[in-house]
Amino acid sequence: MAEKIRVLLSEEEVDAKIKQIGEQISRDYAGKEVHLVCVLKGGSFFMCELAKRITVPVSLDFMSVSSYGSETKSSGVVKIVKDLDEPLKGKNVIVVEDIVDSGRTLSYLLEMLKDRGPAEVRLCTLLDKPERRVVEVQVDYTGFQIPDEFVVGYGLDYDQKYRNLPYIGVVEFE
Ligand code: IMP
Ligand code: MG
């Protein structure tokens, strides 16, 4: 099926917002260090840009998860495909995600990371679809709240495509 991409958030808007979040995190963690945990693959573009905008010392780690269940609906039971390299003990962890949708993946993941003894765990997401929430998750830093539409770009994919778009677009099927 052919699809078209309609721009929802331009490259300029996204860049400006990431700069703002970076400044906010730098203020909130003044005099401390932050440990950014990227959820692959979607969170990777956002995390790299965000890390560049944070002025306190930053360390990075990556994990990859997949949810059991159907392809289109996350079940909330998360399998770790690639675990973090570093322990979280005593660290100020910020989990960096592309989008919070139902909240199932994140609520499960956050609980699991909290069990590893970090000083604290916060959640930072570029996009949030609040209308779609099934499980409550506390989001500490949000780029944009968006309507319930399927979006791509800036790390987000449709069938593994469009992650490299420098803006956020809505997929429209013809
Ligand atoms: P949930 O919050 O557990 O439902 O799942 C969130 C995950 O679903 C995100 O990390 C994305 O990988 C994927 N996802 C949700 N909405 C979209 C979308 O609009 N475009 C692309 N991926 C999405
Ligand atoms: Mg994701």
Side-chain angles (χ1 to χ4, degrees), residues 7-16 144 154 166-169:
V7 178
L8 180 67
L9 298 162
S10 70
E11 184 171 2
E12 290 72 26
E13 286 174 277
V14 175
D15 288 350
F144 303 91
Y154 234 95
Y167 55 87
I168 302 291

Side-chain angles (χ1 to χ4, degrees), residues 6-74:
R6 168 170 54 87
V7 178
L8 180 67
L9 298 162
S10 70
E11 184 171 2
E12 290 72 26
E13 286 174 277
V14 175
D15 288 350
K17 183 64 78 174
I18 294 176
K19 185 160 180 271
Q20 248 178 41
I21 299 173
E23 288 165 356
Q24 182 68 51
I25 290 174
S26 304
R27 278 195 296 274
D28 292 353
Y29 289 87
K32 300 183 195 168
E33 298 180 11
V34 292
H35 187 64
L36 302 184
V37 166
C38 172
V39 185
L40 292 169
K41 302 167 187 168
S44 58
F45 289 69
F46 177 39
M47 180 165 99
C48 292
E49 291 306 310
L50 180 65
K52 284 156 62 179
R53 301 299 187 176
I54 296 175
T55 52
V56 300
V58 169
S59 52
L60 308 175
D61 208 345
F62 299 84
M63 72 188 304
S64 181
V65 298
S66 74
S67 56
Y68 289 106
S70 76
E71 289 294 307
T72 49
K73 199 163 148 277
S74 62

Side-chain angles (χ1 to χ4, degrees), residues 57-134:
V58 169
S59 52
L60 308 175
D61 208 345
F62 299 84
M63 72 188 304
S64 181
V65 298
S66 74
S67 56
Y68 289 106
S70 76
E71 289 294 307
T72 49
K73 199 163 148 277
S74 62
S75 62
V77 181
V78 172
K79 183 174 78 163
I80 298 178
V81 177
K82 181 216 171 293
D83 205 346
L84 299 170
D85 293 334
E86 308 289 336
L88 297 182
K89 190 125 194 80
K91 291 180 182 158
N92 301 314
V93 173
I94 304 179
V95 175
V96 180
E97 254 285 28
D98 48 4
I99 190 164
V100 183
D101 187 36
S102 73
R104 286 189 174 101
T105 313
L106 260 299
S107 69
Y108 187 91
L109 194 66
L110 290 173
E111 287 314 308
M112 193 183 65
L113 297 180
K114 282 175 190 163
D115 285 344
R116 299 186 185 187
E120 61 163 11
V121 180
R122 292 191 191 181
L123 173 60
C124 176
T125 186
L126 180 59
L127 304 174
D128 186 4
K129 284 187 200 169
E131 286 170 50
R132 299 257 308 166
R133 200 74 88 254
V134 175

